[in-house]
Amino acid sequence: MVLGLRSAIGSDVGRRRTSNQDSGATTGRLLVVADGMGGHAHGEVASAVTVSALTELDARLPRDLTDVDLAEEMSNALVAATDNLEQQALADPEMRGMGTTVVSLLLTGEHLALAHIGDSRIYRLRSGTLEQLTHDHTMVQQLVDEGQITAEEALVHPRRSVLMRALSTDHEPEPDLDRIPIEPGDRFLLCSDGVTAVLGDDALHAALGSEDDPSAVVSRLIELSNEGGGPDNITAVVADVVEIGDDESQTQHLRVAGAVAEGATSS
Ligand code: CA
């Protein structure tokens, strides 16, 4: 059995922001979403550079990933993105302080390698059950973990957007790395907080289960996030694990969305 990904991607500025600082990309085996931060400090560059570092990694890796240490490769790609941003910030002080979240999955055999920094999220819908696979690197998540506030209080906390970890110019990236076993029928969602700030687990679950076609689900998520106020940039990747023929695995070409699609890899 050969497993592949049938995916769709979409990104939207939302209703309150004037520019889209999110970026995302998909190929036949790579899924990535990044949410750039720092309005004046070119968050769109941070997200575009980080997504590009991962799509370049995908292009460079061999077709057969069996013997490749993907956690190491993804980590290295994030270090390369940080170096690129540091160089740009040295040349242009306005870019100091820019940063981005990143969530990414890379398919190998019957697993997905996962990398995660920040508060973008990855969910898996399997046999009707929705599970969040990433743990937010936020101050409010830490307060929830320590029992100081409840998950409900976190949703409306005034400092809910404060990140404890991000990919930025002032330190080495510290990604959470994992390896997720997959089965045909699994559906994955990668999204920025423009989706999850508006849609709770029940709404996400309903939207993910509402359509067969991943691109219809992406459109639905963007529509619902905007109907809920569209407070932030909205980016979603939906991918189904499917059985494919031996030669089919890399037939899906690169698709990009958001700032990286606008060529925002430098200011
Ligand atoms: Ca955001």
Side-chain angles (χ1 to χ4, degrees):
M1 178 174 68
V2 179
L3 297 178
L5 298 172
R6 188 179 60 142
S7 66
I9 184 168
S11 188
D12 189 83
V13 68
R15 295 208 169 145
R16 306 260 181 86
R17 300 287 169 94
T18 53
S19 68
N20 191 350
Q21 300 196 324
D22 285 0
S23 292
T26 62
T27 70
R29 62 184 184 183
L30 175 75
L31 313 168
V32 54
V33 167
D35 173 352
M37 292 160 296
H40 56 287
H42 299 292
E44 77 285 359
V45 175
S47 74
V49 162
T50 301
V51 166
S52 297
L54 287 161
T55 59
E56 283 156 20
L57 169 67
D58 178 30
R60 192 167 66 238
L61 286 173
R63 179 169 177 185
D64 181 355
L65 299 177
T66 317
D67 296 324
V68 178
D69 183 343
L70 288 181
E72 169 100 10
E73 294 286 350
M74 291 171 95
S75 259
N76 289 343
L78 298 178
V79 170
T82 304
D83 290 346
N84 177 321
L85 297 176
E86 271 171 5
Q87 290 305 313
Q88 296 202 47
L90 281 174
D92 179 358
E94 270 195 13
M95 299 180 78
R96 279 183 208 142
M98 69 179 159
T100 186
T101 74
V102 60
V103 279
S104 185
L105 294 170
L106 186 52
L107 174 69
T108 170
E110 295 178 9
H111 290 85
L112 289 166
L114 178 156
H116 155 60
I117 307 175
D119 67 350
S120 297
R121 291 182 182 171
I122 302 176
Y123 292 84
R124 178 182 59 204
L125 182 64
R126 172 180 284 177
S127 308
T129 302
L130 184 71
E131 188 182 353
Q132 184 179 331
L133 301 181
T134 50
H135 197 68
D136 290 351
H137 301 139
T138 55
M139 194 190 72
V140 290
Q141 183 62 55
Q142 195 165 312
L143 292 174
V144 171
D145 295 344
E146 289 166 357
Q148 298 194 41
I149 61 171
T150 64
E152 290 69 34
E153 286 167 336
L155 292 172
V156 294
H157 195 281
R159 301 191 68 197
R160 61 188 175 277
S161 62
V162 175
L163 294 183
M164 304 304 286
R165 271 195 248 172
L167 188 153
S168 71
T169 53
D170 50 14
H171 57 267
E172 288 285 292
E174 298 173 75
D176 286 351
L177 300 165
D178 206 350
R179 200 171 133 88
I180 312 290
I182 52 171
E183 297 171 1
D186 286 350
R187 171 166 276 184
F188 287 86
L189 167 68
L190 294 78
C191 63
S192 63
D193 69 339
V195 176
T196 51
V198 177
L199 305 178
D201 285 359
D202 290 347
L204 284 179
H205 195 163
L208 284 169
S210 66
E211 307 269 359
D212 266 349
D213 179 8
S215 62
V217 177
V218 167
S219 301
R220 184 88 190 112
L221 288 167
I222 291 174
E223 190 180 294
L224 290 170
S225 302
N226 273 319
E227 280 172 8
D232 198 355
N233 303 148
I234 302 156
T235 302
V237 167
V238 172
D240 289 340
V241 177
V242 292
E243 288 187 54
I244 57 170
D246 262 342
D247 299 325
E248 238 186 296
S249 53
Q250 292 196 327
T251 50
Q252 190 173 310
H253 298 298
L254 174 65
R255 291 200 194 101
V256 290
V260 71
E262 309 291 323
T265 50
S266 60
S267 64

